[in-house]
């Protein structure tokens, strides 16, 4: 079984998104307060950045899911990454559950365990029947 660099980078993005989601409420609330007191409109661009990062995470986790399936790697990390990123992508109010799910997703996607139906091609066990 091969280890995919895509899975490693997806796990790194999941961790980066955890940090971004943790600071997102503070950034959005502070820009909203600043906009209210100064009459600006920076809150939309700040929120759009965090939403864009969430949806980039969804897309990258979908690509990792497809590649993991082709290489017989467990899909648990990619599926959890999709769920965690989509939670924040729909609403920033779900930042905390998204962070929890993304931490678990990052661990599973970086482990890159073989899927349950993976058969080791180099298994030379004499008790294993060959065709």
């Amino acid at each position: 079984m091969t280890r995919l660099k895509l899975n490693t980078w997806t796990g790194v993005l999941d961790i980066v998104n955890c940090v971004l989601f943790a600071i997102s409420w503070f950034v959005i609330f502070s820009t909203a307060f600043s906009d209210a007191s100064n009459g600006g409109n920076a809150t939309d661009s700040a929120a759009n950045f965090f939403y864009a990062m969430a949806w980039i995470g969804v897309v990258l986790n979908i690509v990792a899911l497809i590649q993991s399936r082709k290489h017989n790697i467990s899909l648990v990390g990619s599926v959890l990454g999709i769920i965690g990123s989509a939670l924040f992508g729909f609403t920033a109010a779900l930042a905390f559950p998204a962070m929890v799910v993304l931490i678990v997703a990052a661990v599973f996607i970086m482990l890159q365990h073989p899927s349950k139906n993976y058969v080791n091609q180099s298994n030379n066990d004499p008790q294993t029947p060959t065709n």
Side-chain angles (χ1 to χ4, degrees):
M1 186 191 78
T2 61
R3 293 185 57 86
L4 297 177
K5 288 184 182 180
L6 176 66
N7 281 354
T8 303
W9 285 108
T10 304
V12 169
L13 180 69
D14 287 345
I15 293 169
V16 168
N17 276 348
C18 283
V19 173
L20 287 175
F21 298 165
I23 66 170
S24 67
W25 281 6
F26 301 109
V27 171
I28 292 171
F29 286 139
S30 65
T31 55
F33 181 74
S34 175
D35 286 351
S37 62
N38 296 335
N41 61 353
T43 305
D44 288 340
S45 60
N48 285 337
F49 168 74
F50 294 113
Y51 286 132
M53 288 301 293
W55 288 110
I56 289 170
V58 169
V59 170
L60 191 59
N61 275 293
I62 290 172
V63 173
L65 177 91
I66 293 167
Q67 290 299 315
S68 293
R69 185 175 173 102
K70 285 182 183 177
H71 291 8
N72 291 319
I73 296 173
S74 176
L75 306 177
V76 174
S78 298
V79 170
L80 289 174
I82 292 167
I83 293 169
S85 294
L87 281 173
F88 188 90
F90 288 123
T91 177
L94 295 174
F96 184 72
M99 289 187 302
V100 172
V101 173
L102 283 176
I103 290 169
V104 175
V107 169
F108 276 105
I109 201 164
M110 286 189 176
L111 287 176
Q112 297 189 35
H113 285 296
S115 63
K116 289 191 182 222
N117 60 358
Y118 176 71
V119 177
N120 192 354
Q121 303 301 335
S122 63
N123 186 5
N124 294 328
D125 186 31
Q127 295 180 5
T128 305
T130 59
N131 293 336

